[in-house]
Amino acid sequence: VVSRTSISLFLFILLARIRDSSQLASSFSLQPTLPADIAFSKWASTNGIFAPSISCLTTEHSVGGRGLFASSNVAAGEVVASIPHALCFHSNEDKAHWAADITQQVRTLLLKNNDEDDSGRQEWVESWSGGGCTSYDDALTFAGSSLNMKDDQALEDEIKERLEKRAQSWKIAAAKYHLDDQKDYAMYSLVCSRACFLGPSWRNDTDDSEKETGVVGIVPLFDMLNHINVPARQNIELLSVGTAFQQMNEGSPKPDDLNEKDMLLIATKPIAKGDELLTEYMDENDTTKTGAEIKARKLVQW
């Protein structure tokens, strides 16, 4: 549950940031030591990500080897980061082809010279790594060996079925978007691994099916959060400003200075200084899915 008080205080800070962007760089509190972490810190502060309580670190203390950590104590309901909507990738395509649409956007961006990128996203995309199988066969091999499913036939069958469906979607989407099996599948896989729902503020008003979740996209900073299989340790949720403001004010008009599509990372519970920020792939309380279905969805997304 998002705290009205903490969001009110955050919106006051956010308005001040908008009025005086010169304060942004010094407000982004990261203390990285490795070049990649230093580069991301600089990129984030330069491009308007406001996260005074977050450190990006490559460390053995991260469940994924690299992650986001609280650089100070964080209260439940506190907004720990805001991300400008212009930095996010999103797709208004039908749900069958959103990943190919974003893959094409990324490919087009990477073909530009750095001085031609007016979106500020190229450096972020070039830093993406992990989560991307290079081919469908590679994905099947990985699922069959690395995930150790020898004693769980139901899980193995469920994963193979999901990978086969993804392969079919890839073939259709690749033809539509002129994507190449050798050059583009790895990026397609990365896009699938980093994607999330952006919420109703982003939805296409002509599509009622997107009313609750909004379109699919990739959000910088949020895409760096590691996922945890222990629901009790999940401590971050992603909301748009529009959704957060609705929860806070129950329909009151939003100030013109705020864009309802800007994204917020909000603490769902107290986070101690030094703790890693963690999220989940899906709702553990979804009673419509079997145990094998839930595990398979997580592993295929991973």
Side-chain angles (χ1 to χ4, degrees):
V1 176
V2 179
S3 163
R4 291 171 182 248
T5 301
S6 62
I7 290 187
S8 297
L9 290 174
F10 173 77
L11 291 179
F12 176 83
I13 294 171
L14 188 59
L15 285 169
R17 171 174 67 88
I18 293 171
R19 286 192 293 266
D20 186 7
S21 60
S22 65
Q23 299 299 314
L24 182 61
S26 61
S27 298
F28 194 76
S29 179
L30 292 179
Q31 298 176 341
T33 57
L34 297 183
D37 298 337
I38 293 171
F40 180 79
S41 169
K42 182 179 179 180
W43 175 84
S45 62
T46 299
N47 287 279
I49 294 178
F50 183 72
S53 301
I54 293 179
S55 293
C56 172
L57 299 172
T58 300
T59 170
E60 62 182 7
H61 298 293
S62 168
V63 299
R66 186 190 193 202
L68 303 179
F69 290 80
S71 57
S72 60
N73 292 331
V74 176
E78 183 176 338
V79 179
V80 296
S82 71
I83 300 99
H85 69 283
L87 292 178
C88 305
F89 286 101
H90 73 283
S91 174
N92 286 317
E93 283 285 341
D94 60 75
K95 293 183 179 178
H97 299 310
W98 62 263
D101 180 31
I102 295 177
T103 299
Q104 186 186 56
Q105 293 177 41
V106 172
R107 182 180 65 174
T108 301
L109 175 67
L110 293 178
L111 289 174
K112 296 181 178 181
N113 296 323
N114 285 329
D115 57 359
E116 295 176 333
D117 173 29
D118 56 4
S119 70
R121 298 183 293 186
Q122 191 173 65
E123 184 178 348
W124 165 48
V125 172
E126 289 174 344
S127 73
W128 291 2
S129 64
C133 293
T134 58
S135 68
Y136 169 65
D137 290 337
D138 182 26
L140 279 180
T141 301
F142 177 77
S145 59
S146 301
L147 298 181
N148 192 21
M149 301 180 300
K150 295 178 181 178
D151 299 325
D152 196 335
Q153 188 62 46
L155 176 59
E156 182 177 357
D157 292 343
E158 187 69 33
I159 284 182
K160 286 184 177 179
E161 180 180 349
R162 287 181 175 273
L163 286 174
E164 287 169 0
K165 288 181 178 179
R166 177 174 288 185
Q168 293 170 3
S169 297
W170 161 255
K171 290 177 181 178
I172 296 172
K176 179 178 179 180
Y177 289 90
H178 308 291
L179 302 176
D180 183 84
D181 283 348
Q182 299 299 318
K183 296 179 180 179
D184 297 315
Y185 189 89
M187 180 56 71
Y188 179 84
S189 185
L190 275 171
V191 165
C192 290
S193 179
R194 290 172 175 263
C196 62
F197 285 113
L198 300 180
S201 295
W202 285 75
R203 74 180 179 90
N204 183 347
D205 289 333
T206 63
D207 187 351
D208 290 338
S209 68
E210 296 177 341
K211 184 174 182 180
E212 296 300 324
T213 57
V215 299
V216 179
I218 304 178
V219 180
L221 207 66
F222 182 75
D223 72 322
M224 295 183 67
L225 288 178
N226 285 309
H227 300 258
I228 189 71
N229 285 327
V230 182
R233 291 187 60 193
Q234 179 185 357
N235 53 27
I236 289 292
E237 68 175 335
L238 178 71
L239 292 177
S240 68
V241 165
T243 298
F245 199 85
Q246 286 179 352
Q247 292 186 15
M248 180 184 71
N249 286 292
E250 299 177 353
S252 297
K254 177 183 64 63
D256 292 338
D257 288 354
L258 300 178
N259 191 302
E260 65 178 11
K261 292 183 178 181
D262 285 350
M263 304 302 293
L264 309 175
L265 300 187
I266 301 175
T268 59
K269 61 184 63 176
I271 306 173
K273 181 178 180 179
D275 283 356
E276 186 166 9
L277 277 56
L278 300 167
T279 187
E280 254 290 10
Y281 282 124
M282 62 183 294
D283 185 1
E284 287 283 345
N285 297 316
D286 186 352
T287 58
T288 65
K289 301 290 190 299
T290 66
E293 287 175 321
I294 292 174
K295 289 180 181 178
R297 179 172 174 179
K298 290 180 179 179
L299 291 171
V300 170
Q301 169 81 352
W302 178 55

